[in-house]
Amino acid sequence: MSAYILRRLLLIVPTLLGIMLINFLIVQAAPGGPVEQAIAEIQGLAVDSTARVSGGVGEMAGPPAGGGAGESKYRGAQGLDPEFIAALEQQYGFDRPPWERFALMIGNYAVFDFGESFFRDQPVVDLVIDKMPVSISLGLWTTLLTYLISIPLGIGKAVRDGTRFDVWTSGAVIVGNAVPAFLFAILLIILFAGGRYLDWFPLRGLTGDDFDRLSTLGQVADYFWHITLPVASMVIGGFAGLTMLTKNSFMDQIHQQYVITARAKGLTERRVLYGHVFRNAMLIVIAGFPGAFVSILFTGALLTEIIFSLDGLGLLGFEAALKRDYPVMFATLYFFTLLGLLMNLLGDLAYHAVDPRIDFETRET
């Protein structure tokens, strides 16, 4: 198994490099980079402050529009001093060619030097660490509750296949699979957060304003009071797929020859189900836990964090994309992609731990 782990770890390097390169090229081709964002803010400030600031921005901006500054490659830069534009390019690192910027970025990321945010004036690592608890809370509780609901429900549907229970629960699964989590979030706000009907839960934040003044028990209660609706919306929107995966896995195992043999020996149905079928059927479900957690943590919580104003990694990435904050965008992409690749390896190890008969080293690569 050690040789397989080593091969997978070595494969992470070109995979991560390819993902970063593709995203780097896409972002470079997109309009509205950080230099243009800075120019837009400056021009907006100049327009808003014309009546009361006579020389602040004007002295920095250089010649007026059409005053011989020449055409600029940046939208909205007409009229700004070319030397000022060059200073902006140097500030954001755009005075270098793209290939050199990419090589420098990868070299820094290899030693986990993620630089500083363009627009927050903070190290990217500090920003990620500051936002991490919110996203981990959402991802952890959502994953745990999804598994606690989906596995028993999937087993029940497999055992009672074709009964009324299976039919009625299939309706809930269809709704959960068809409606995205953010629509459930909006519905829960309307119903329970003062949107139109009840006002039982807070609308924003992970804790209340008086959180620090509460007792330990009060802080726990306040935390769960705030996180109830966001987690509920994500669980409702995510349990359907895992439920059907559990059911289909059990259905596939129930009709295997070893189950027929166990029943022929006189074993009780409960002993057959949980003593023989459960281990084989739950192999793919349990082993997929690391990947499911990463998926919920870094992708599924994006719109939920925005809707409930939760200051987590999803909201951080969304704001970084709007402001073209490249250090935050690429650093989080690098970190999350690396974590996802490691979790895929951990999922394979979980397969082997659940069923030692699975040996990845014997596969042809």
Side-chain angles (χ1 to χ4, degrees):
M1 197 66 181
S2 58
Y4 172 76
I5 295 175
L6 180 60
R7 290 198 303 270
R8 287 292 301 271
L9 290 175
L10 293 176
L11 186 61
I12 286 176
V13 176
T15 303
L16 183 60
L17 186 63
I19 292 174
M20 294 298 297
L21 178 59
I22 292 173
N23 284 272
F24 181 83
L25 295 176
I26 292 174
V27 169
Q28 296 303 309
V35 175
E36 291 182 334
Q37 292 285 329
I39 291 173
E41 291 184 7
I42 292 170
Q43 297 285 44
L45 178 61
V47 171
D48 294 338
S49 307
T50 301
R52 51 190 177 87
V53 181
S54 60
V57 178
E59 294 175 357
M60 180 176 62
E71 293 295 330
S72 174
K73 61 182 178 180
Y74 298 110
R75 181 182 303 173
Q78 288 76 12
L80 295 180
D81 189 346
E83 293 183 0
F84 175 73
I85 300 298
L88 279 179
E89 290 180 331
Q90 185 177 8
Q91 176 183 347
Y92 293 118
F94 278 74
D95 56 331
R96 300 184 179 94
W99 64 267
E100 186 176 339
R101 296 202 307 271
F102 179 77
L104 181 63
M105 180 183 71
I106 293 298
N108 291 335
Y109 287 2
V111 295
F112 294 97
D113 179 10
F114 298 118
E116 291 193 1
S117 167
F118 284 159
F119 300 100
R120 290 176 178 258
D121 295 326
Q122 286 182 262
V124 175
V125 173
D126 292 345
L127 282 173
V128 172
I129 293 175
D130 183 52
K131 312 300 182 184
M132 187 75 78
V134 174
S135 295
I136 288 180
S137 294
L138 288 176
L140 184 61
W141 287 114
T142 300
T143 305
L144 289 176
L145 289 176
T146 299
Y147 269 73
L148 289 176
I149 294 173
S150 299
I151 291 177
L153 182 59
I155 295 174
K157 287 176 65 63
V159 173
R160 300 175 179 84
D161 183 47
T163 64
R164 289 185 176 181
F165 174 82
D166 183 40
V167 173
W168 284 105
T169 53
S170 294
V173 169
I174 292 173
V175 173
N177 194 41
V179 182
F182 74 91
L183 288 183
F184 281 119
I186 296 174
L187 178 62
L188 291 177
I189 289 175
I190 294 174
L191 294 178
F192 302 111
R196 177 171 297 182
Y197 299 99
L198 304 175
D199 192 8
W200 291 352
F201 296 95
L203 182 59
R204 60 181 65 239
L206 197 61
T207 56
D209 296 334
D210 59 344
F211 182 80
D212 294 333
R213 298 191 297 271
L214 298 175
S215 63
T216 302
L217 185 60
Q219 289 179 344
V220 173
D222 183 74
Y223 166 77
F224 282 106
W225 183 45
H226 280 77
I227 206 173
T228 296
L229 292 188
V231 171
S233 66
M234 295 177 66
V235 170
I236 294 173
F239 83 100
L242 184 59
T243 298
M244 294 308 299
L245 177 63
T246 304
K247 176 187 176 181
N248 293 334
S249 181
F250 265 78
M251 291 291 294
D252 179 66
Q253 293 296 321
I254 285 175
H255 299 290
Q256 295 292 327
Q257 184 62 44
Y258 74 91
V259 177
I260 299 175
T261 303
R263 287 171 175 166
K265 290 181 178 180
L267 297 179
T268 63
E269 191 66 21
R270 183 178 182 85
R271 178 70 181 276
V272 171
L273 182 63
Y274 293 101
H276 294 76
V277 176
F278 185 83
R279 180 177 180 179
N280 294 325
M282 292 306 296
L283 174 63
I284 188 173
V285 177
I286 295 176
F289 183 89
F293 173 71
V294 172
S295 176
I296 293 173
L297 179 60
F298 300 128
T299 58
L302 170 59
L303 291 177
T304 301
E305 289 185 9
I306 295 174
I307 292 172
F308 287 98
S309 299
L310 300 175
D311 195 11
L313 295 173
L315 188 59
L316 175 66
F318 176 74
E319 293 178 348
L322 288 180
K323 294 183 177 181
R324 301 298 194 271
D325 197 341
Y326 288 173
V328 175
M329 292 172 59
F330 286 116
T332 52
L333 173 66
Y334 178 87
F335 177 74
F336 297 154
T337 302
L338 178 61
L339 183 60
L341 293 172
L342 292 175
M343 283 297 180
N344 286 335
L345 175 59
L346 183 60
D348 288 347
L349 297 180
Y351 275 108
H352 181 73
V354 173
D355 190 349
R357 295 172 299 175
I358 297 178
D359 186 5
F360 292 99
E361 287 189 354
T362 60
R363 300 188 312 174
E364 294 184 1
T365 58

